[in-house]
Amino acid sequence: MNMNRLKISLALCGAILAGNVMSAAEPSFIRTASSSTPAFETDFTDAAEKTVNAVVCIKSFSSRQQNPYGMQGGYDPFGGMFDFFFGNPGGQQRQQPRQQQKKKSEPVQTGLGSGVIISEDGYIVTNNHVIDNADKLEVLLNDNSSYEARIVGTDEASDLALIKIDAKGLSPITFGDSESVKIGEWVLAVGNPFGFNSTVTAGIVSAKARSLGASNKGGNMSIESFIQTDAALNPGNSGGALVNLNGELIGINSAIYSNTGSYSGFSFAIPTSIVKKVMADIRQYGTVQRAMLGCSVVELDAKLAKEKGITAVKAGCLVKDVNDMSTAKELGLKEDDVITAINGVEVHNFAQLVEQISKFRPGDKISVTYCRDNKSYTKTGVLRNSQGNTAITKKGDFAELGCAFMKLSSETKQHLGISNGVQVQGLKGGAFRDAGVKDGFIITEINDVPVNNSDDVEYLYNQVMKDEDNEKVLFLKGVYPTGKKYYYAVNLESNE
């Protein structure tokens, strides 16, 4: 190197080290800070200490024939890109050696996840997909004590569940305010990836009110408004805690963005604004009280705004249809109105609208701000449920059908010329009797699905009760022992 060049380079380095940065004439529009940036706090130990004892490991067991090492991802509604993380790493569908196969009636471990203690007496919040279809749940605390848990209630729409262990003096987590969380804020994720208990990872909030699009697939209503973070999460973290640097819960970890089922950049957590409401409803009512605005919307974008002549707002939810007997109808909302705020909280997209409505119950009053003809209006209305009223919804129970179901003999099937069916017996007060069903009626199909035993009936009942989008009705097709065919519609709406 030329010695003159070397001297200049060394001089420049010396100037930089001394804090005197030499530069060419800077354009006048560039703003230069006059003081150095203060160091930011990166000590996560206090938040970790407050959190690890509140996060538990949940093992699920089932007597059904499934992959004994767990279901990677729980289920995959996003075509392999968005995986719920739950179970064995790598997504390998490994089978036990034949000589180690369990008996069908003996429960085997089918999954592994996390949960968060929310009360001293043993209530724990987790993901619905962590405990779904489990015959037995085992909870392992951070001190290695183990408990068997029972399911208090579940909510498939928000992918949340509440379970309970018989314990006292536990260390519940403190809830924080997920709505006050800022993008770029440091957060910690605590869970049990790959079964490694009380693992803590750190990251930042990458985005808020993120939707993964599950509500557009499969037909069931999905409550989605995730906190997106880059904290490293893997199979087993599902149901664990996302906390701020004060150790306060701001979300329940639920999904990752991945092609492999393991961490590759982004993770998603259900915000506490939704978690608190769902948990309170399950404890108080046994099921979630779901409020509906009663209109279909699409997110406003530049193309739609230009097409509709909307210039007053650049973001919001454009109303497409308004349902009868709905809050939207009461408010006078019309097609092409743009909803911009709920109770003064701005909603720029569908996920934000869902999050705000999810905080309320049927019967609650809310104010809706919307734009019509480029003018802003705010009106107040009462939220309703999916049936258009404000009644409290009771927890569905298979026993509400009010009867038992007896398997048919081959002789009876042959005599009536049917290939399958189950017979109603011991009919008493309940939904079946209210629908006009009489003792001895043989059900061959429910909602166009053939039935053969009580388990088939219970399965179809549970499927109908889980479906938030459709009316809760069982359509029965069958025959009486006399050969007379009948059809019944059994209303399962249990509103008071």
Side-chain angles (χ1 to χ4, degrees):
M1 179 183 289
N2 183 288
M3 289 301 296
N4 290 332
R5 289 184 179 179
L6 177 61
K7 290 178 181 179
I8 293 172
S9 298
L10 291 174
L12 177 59
C13 290
I16 293 175
L17 291 173
N20 300 317
V21 179
M22 298 173 64
S23 65
E26 291 183 345
S28 59
F29 59 82
I30 292 181
R31 299 175 62 187
T32 304
S34 58
S35 60
S36 60
T37 303
F40 54 87
E41 181 60 59
T42 55
D43 184 358
F44 306 137
T45 57
D46 187 50
E49 288 174 0
K50 291 179 179 178
T51 309
V52 289
N53 289 321
V55 177
V56 303
C57 178
I58 300 175
K59 299 177 181 179
S60 64
F61 298 81
S62 176
S63 57
R64 289 177 282 277
Q65 292 297 310
Q66 299 177 14
N67 173 13
Y69 292 92
M71 296 177 294
Q72 167 58 29
Y75 66 94
D76 180 9
F78 309 115
M81 295 184 66
F82 298 105
D83 294 313
F84 284 97
F85 38 96
F86 168 53
N88 77 288
Q92 300 149 345
Q93 298 299 313
R94 299 177 292 176
Q95 297 294 327
Q96 286 179 303
R98 186 176 299 276
Q99 65 269 23
Q100 295 180 10
Q101 287 286 346
K102 304 280 187 179
K103 294 180 180 179
K104 186 175 181 179
S105 59
E106 183 180 350
V108 295
Q109 185 176 339
T110 54
L112 180 72
S114 303
V116 182
I117 300 171
I118 60 174
S119 72
E120 293 184 358
D121 57 347
Y123 282 96
I124 297 169
V125 60
T126 185
N127 286 138
N128 177 64
H129 71 262
V130 168
I131 56 87
D132 195 28
N133 296 320
D135 295 323
K136 175 186 173 184
L137 294 174
E138 182 182 316
V139 172
L140 181 67
L141 304 188
N142 192 42
D143 63 3
N144 287 326
S145 57
S146 179
Y147 298 86
E148 189 166 331
R150 63 179 175 86
I151 298 173
V152 179
T154 62
D155 182 44
E156 188 176 14
S158 62
D159 191 30
L160 291 170
L162 183 66
I163 64 176
K164 176 77 165 60
I165 61 175
D166 292 327
K168 301 290 183 183
L170 300 179
S171 302
I173 203 161
T174 300
F175 274 74
D177 181 8
S178 60
E179 293 191 348
S180 67
V181 173
K182 297 179 179 179
I183 296 174
E185 180 177 334
W186 280 100
V187 289
L188 300 183
V190 186
N192 305 280
F194 306 122
F196 296 118
N197 289 354
S198 305
T199 297
V200 181
T201 57
I204 63 168
V205 174
S206 307
K208 295 177 63 178
R210 183 73 79 196
S211 174
L212 305 185
S215 57
N216 297 325
K217 301 183 181 183
N220 291 331
M221 184 180 70
S222 181
I223 308 302
E224 290 189 352
S225 184
F226 293 112
I227 297 172
Q228 179 180 317
T229 174
D230 64 354
L233 300 177
N234 283 289
N237 271 115
S238 198
L242 186 71
V243 302
N244 58 26
L245 291 191
N246 292 322
E248 299 167 338
L249 184 72
I250 58 170
I252 296 296
N253 296 316
S254 182
I256 57 178
Y257 180 90
S258 174
N259 289 312
T260 64
S262 297
Y263 175 73
S264 61
F266 292 115
S267 311
F268 301 89
I270 304 165
T272 52
S273 58
I274 293 176
V275 176
K276 287 189 289 186
K277 161 66 167 49
V278 171
M279 293 302 101
D281 280 357
I282 289 176
R283 288 191 67 172
Q284 186 172 351
Y285 304 106
T287 188
V288 178
Q289 305 302 309
R290 191 84 66 209
M292 306 285 180
L293 189 56
C295 61
S296 61
V297 300
V298 295
E299 294 181 7
L300 183 69
D301 57 21
K303 182 179 178 181
L304 271 176
K306 183 177 180 180
E307 179 185 320
K308 302 291 184 180
I310 300 170
T311 58
V313 293
K314 296 181 179 179
C317 295
L318 183 73
V319 176
K320 298 299 293 180
D321 296 296
V322 177
N323 301 335
D324 291 335
M325 299 173 60
S326 67
T327 306
K329 193 81 169 180
E330 176 190 348
L331 293 170
L333 292 179
K334 297 180 180 179
E335 183 180 354
D336 292 341
D337 288 346
V338 182
I339 300 172
T340 58
I342 301 294
N343 277 9
V345 179
E346 291 185 358
V347 291
H348 295 155
N349 53 45
F350 181 69
Q352 290 177 333
L353 177 63
V354 168
E355 181 176 355
Q356 292 307 312
I357 297 297
S358 296
K359 293 161 51 178
F360 301 100
R361 299 185 177 106
D364 289 346
K365 286 185 177 181
I366 64 164
S367 66
V368 177
T369 301
Y370 60 94
C371 177
R372 177 184 296 171
D373 298 328
N374 292 316
K375 294 181 180 179
S376 182
Y377 301 89
T378 299
K379 291 187 178 179
T380 301
V382 177
L383 286 171
R384 295 173 169 83
N385 58 30
S386 59
Q387 301 306 306
N389 59 55
T390 60
I392 294 298
T393 301
K394 295 184 296 184
K395 182 179 181 180
D397 188 339
F398 182 56
E400 74 170 303
L401 299 183
C403 61
F405 301 94
M406 185 181 74
K407 192 173 182 178
L408 293 181
S409 65
S410 56
E411 291 81 5
T412 301
K413 293 178 186 177
Q414 186 176 2
H415 172 70
L416 293 171
I418 57 178
S419 58
N420 64 278
V422 61
Q423 190 168 36
V424 173
Q425 294 231 322
L427 190 67
K428 55 184 180 180
F432 268 35
R433 192 175 73 173
D434 292 344
V437 178
K438 294 180 174 58
D439 249 338
F441 180 62
I442 297 169
I443 306 170
T444 57
E445 293 182 6
I446 296 178
N447 294 352
D448 296 325
V449 178
V451 293
N452 280 295
N453 51 50
S454 179
D455 287 344
D456 291 344
V457 178
E458 184 171 7
Y459 173 79
L460 291 170
Y461 168 87
N462 289 333
Q463 290 300 109
V464 169
M465 295 305 290
K466 284 181 179 180
D467 194 339
E468 295 282 353
D469 288 346
N470 298 319
E471 293 182 353
K472 293 178 172 55
V473 179
L474 294 179
F475 294 102
L476 310 183
K477 178 182 178 181
V479 60
Y480 280 98
T482 59
K484 182 82 171 178
K485 293 182 178 180
Y486 267 86
Y487 301 87
Y488 295 99
V490 181
N491 183 15
L492 302 178
E493 290 298 340
S494 53
N495 295 325
E496 295 180 324

